[in-house]
Amino acid sequence: MLNFSNNNLNNEGRLRTVLDVGCGVASFGGYLLSSDIITMSLAPNDVHQNQIQFALERGIPAYLGILGTKRLPYPSRSFELAHCSRCRIDWLQRDGILLLELDRLLRPGGYFAYSSPEAYAQDEENLRIWKEMSDLVGRMCWRIASKRNQTVIWQKPLTNDCYKEREPGTRPPLCQSDADPDAVWGVNMEACITPYSDREYFSSHCYLLAFDFYCS
Ligand SMILES: C[S@@+](CC[C@H](N)C(=O)[O-])C[C@H]1O[C@@H](n2cnc3c(N)ncnc32)[C@H](O)[C@@H]1O
């Protein structure tokens, strides 16, 4: 759907880290493995019993987790693509807090692939949800990168420019400038947009050696 060159799913190595929320038995992560894409798949222990155990037995990275109230255990900008297929998460709840957590986790220009009845069904309720979600992601400065059949792929912005152009008072607000977007352990999610830092950390001048980062 994103028309990468040669139909190469990992986009010549530019798309390597994926987060699959509500993964079931992690079939999506399994599918992407052969394209050299690592997917972290997560789902809670609920009526879909033993789904994480099934995923692990298939050799697919997965862990028990839930998009609920605490941040997922990853610093901001960790993933190039987030995915939710029929995950039945109410993305509109609590001022869009769960969608804003995905936004925190996505890299600049990162994608959210969403496959759910709201993206295609024409009944009154699904149309209402689709309209409200479209309004919310529009205010978050996401744009539709592709939409086909039951799937929409949104892309978050590359810079802070769109955030700065929003009308004063637009919701969701930007997070406080002194908030640390990378603090995650036991930290509550917040219903705010994580803007990009002016600081260029993890630039191309940094490299990993013996588990330490060195920057020139
Ligand atoms: C119908 S299954 C879909 C599984 C898989 N995505 C697929 O398309 O085959 C719904 C999945 O969403 C998960 N789920 C529901 N609420 C969730 C939440 N708040 N956070 C993470 N996963 C959730 C369920 O545990 C289940 O794995």
Side-chain angles (χ1 to χ4, degrees):
M1 286 178 68
L2 292 171
N3 293 327
F4 292 151
S5 59
N6 301 324
N7 223 4
N8 184 340
L9 286 187
N10 75 21
N11 195 19
E12 315 292 341
R14 288 185 206 94
L15 198 155
R16 296 163 309 158
T17 53
V18 172
L19 180 72
D20 187 17
V21 293
C23 63
V25 292
S27 307
F28 187 65
Y31 176 69
L32 293 178
L33 266 184
S34 59
S35 295
D36 290 334
I37 298 174
I38 293 291
T39 306
M40 284 311 303
S41 298
L42 81 129
N45 193 9
D46 59 11
V47 288
H48 302 84
Q49 289 181 12
N50 306 332
Q51 47 192 346
I52 296 304
Q53 183 184 344
F54 278 125
L56 292 172
E57 285 178 3
R58 298 167 79 194
I60 305 167
Y63 71 100
L64 268 177
I66 190 161
L67 271 177
T69 55
K70 302 283 183 203
R71 284 180 172 176
L72 296 186
Y74 303 99
S76 63
R77 312 180 183 192
S78 287
F79 297 95
E80 278 124 18
L81 180 129
H83 173 259
C84 147
S85 157
R86 303 180 299 122
C87 63
R88 298 187 192 150
I89 292 175
D90 173 8
W91 296 105
L92 293 169
Q93 65 178 280
R94 294 177 286 148
D95 302 320
I97 196 167
L98 303 183
L99 213 48
L100 289 156
E101 172 64 356
L102 290 192
D103 186 77
R104 182 185 72 82
L105 291 166
L106 285 175
R107 298 224 170 123
Y111 300 101
F112 177 41
Y114 184 55
S115 217
S116 190
E118 296 92 70
Y120 65 91
Q122 293 298 309
D123 61 280
E124 198 179 325
E125 179 62 0
N126 280 308
L127 284 172
R128 178 191 67 77
I129 297 171
W130 174 250
K131 181 173 181 326
E132 284 186 34
M133 275 189 81
S134 300
D135 287 350
L136 173 62
V137 298
R139 283 180 270 119
M140 289 163 61
C141 295
W142 290 9
R143 64 168 194 93
I144 290 183
S146 184
K147 185 171 187 294
R148 195 189 303 159
N149 303 330
Q150 56 187 8
T151 303
V152 58
I153 303 179
W154 282 292
Q155 186 175 27
K156 75 176 278 193
L158 282 163
T159 66
N160 284 331
D161 292 353
C162 168
Y163 304 141
K164 291 180 188 155
E165 287 161 10
R166 300 187 321 156
E167 293 290 320
T170 301
R171 300 193 71 78
L174 296 186
C175 299
Q176 301 287 341
S177 56
D178 58 353
D180 181 357
D182 300 333
V184 290
W185 198 248
V187 176
N188 287 331
M189 290 177 187
E190 274 186 69
C192 59
I193 297 172
T194 307
Y196 301 125
S197 147
D198 294 332
R199 226 165 14 113
E200 270 289 322
Y201 61 100
F202 275 58
S203 71
S204 54
H205 306 295
C206 300
Y207 54 94
L208 180 65
L209 188 65
F211 301 105
D212 278 324
F213 273 99
Y214 293 87
C215 300
S216 55

